[in-house]
Amino acid sequence: MPSIKNTLGIRLPTLIRILGYTGLIPFIIPVWLMFDQIWFGLGLRNAVLFGISAPQIFIAYSAVILSFMSGTLWASWRVVKSQSLAKFAVLMSNLFALSSWCALLLMHSVPIMAVFSVTLLMLGFISLLWVEHLISELKKSYWRMRLLLTGIVTVLHLVMGTLIFMEF
């Protein structure tokens, strides 16, 4: 079978790995900004990028990525062998997208709710991985990548949630 290539001449699995790992950068930068402020003793409220607070950047990006990733569940109904699993996938895709939206709204209500937003999003990423594994047979290499990426994203969410909590 010929390899699948995109218009750039990169094999699709390679492109997915590149995008997956570079997609960690917008998670890492806000966490790094907050650690930088702690290190220099300037206070976490000074952790900003382009006038936007690091937690807001982190939560907004997290919500967008969780919504984007949950879209894969929506599309999977056509290839899932079980009708009940297909319905479950579609319902879960909507649940993840709506919980991402709720996390964005909560972030702006009361400052401490940002911790809840980060926690909600973290649980969404973990749950998405579980649902993806449940509804489809993933290639071993893709599954390893997803486990690693979700593990890193989970740790970054735990760190961000802790840093936000420390602010209070």
Side-chain angles (χ1 to χ4, degrees), residues 49-115:
L49 184 65
F50 306 118
I52 304 169
S53 77
Q56 287 179 330
I57 293 169
F58 185 92
I59 291 168
Y61 180 72
S62 182
V64 166
I65 295 303
L66 182 58
S67 293
F68 169 75
M69 294 291 295
S70 69
T72 63
L73 295 178
W74 180 272
S76 69
W77 71 268
R78 291 178 289 173
V79 294
V80 175
K81 292 174 179 49
S82 161
Q83 182 73 13
S84 60
L85 279 179
K87 288 177 186 176
F88 178 69
V90 170
L91 289 172
M92 291 305 290
S93 76
N94 282 268
L95 178 67
F96 294 139
L98 290 172
S99 66
S100 296
W101 177 58
C102 287
L104 285 172
L105 295 176
L106 285 172
M107 167 180 70
H108 295 291
S109 59
V110 180
I112 192 67
M113 290 306 283
V115 174

Side-chain angles (χ1 to χ4, degrees), residues 2-162:
S3 65
I4 302 170
K5 293 193 178 220
N6 64 15
T7 58
L8 299 174
I10 301 172
R11 289 187 57 231
L12 188 56
T14 303
L15 180 62
I16 289 170
R17 275 194 307 280
I18 291 168
L19 293 174
Y21 290 111
T22 57
L24 292 173
I25 295 169
F27 283 116
I28 294 168
I29 290 173
V31 171
W32 175 79
L33 284 171
M34 291 184 78
F35 272 120
D36 185 59
Q37 297 306 307
I38 291 171
W39 180 263
F40 290 106
L42 300 173
L44 293 176
R45 296 189 193 277
N46 291 320
V48 296
L49 184 65
F50 306 118
I52 304 169
S53 77
Q56 287 179 330
I57 293 169
F58 185 92
I59 291 168
Y61 180 72
S62 182
V64 166
I65 295 303
L66 182 58
S67 293
F68 169 75
M69 294 291 295
S70 69
T72 63
L73 295 178
W74 180 272
S76 69
W77 71 268
R78 291 178 289 173
V79 294
V80 175
K81 292 174 179 49
S82 161
Q83 182 73 13
S84 60
L85 279 179
K87 288 177 186 176
F88 178 69
V90 170
L91 289 172
M92 291 305 290
S93 76
N94 282 268
L95 178 67
F96 294 139
L98 290 172
S99 66
S100 296
W101 177 58
C102 287
L104 285 172
L105 295 176
L106 285 172
M107 167 180 70
H108 295 291
S109 59
V110 180
I112 192 67
M113 290 306 283
V115 174
F116 185 71
S117 293
V118 170
T119 304
L120 181 63
L121 291 163
M122 178 188 71
L123 294 174
F125 281 105
I126 294 167
S127 300
L128 175 65
L129 181 70
W130 173 73
V131 171
E132 228 180 10
H133 181 64
L134 184 67
I135 65 166
S136 63
E137 295 177 20
L138 304 173
K139 288 185 177 181
K140 196 173 186 176
S141 61
Y142 179 75
W143 177 245
R144 277 195 309 259
M145 181 190 74
R146 285 285 287 119
L147 276 173
L148 181 60
L149 289 172
T150 301
I152 293 169
V153 166
T154 299
V155 168
L156 290 168
H157 278 75
L158 287 170
V159 170
M160 178 56 77
T162 302

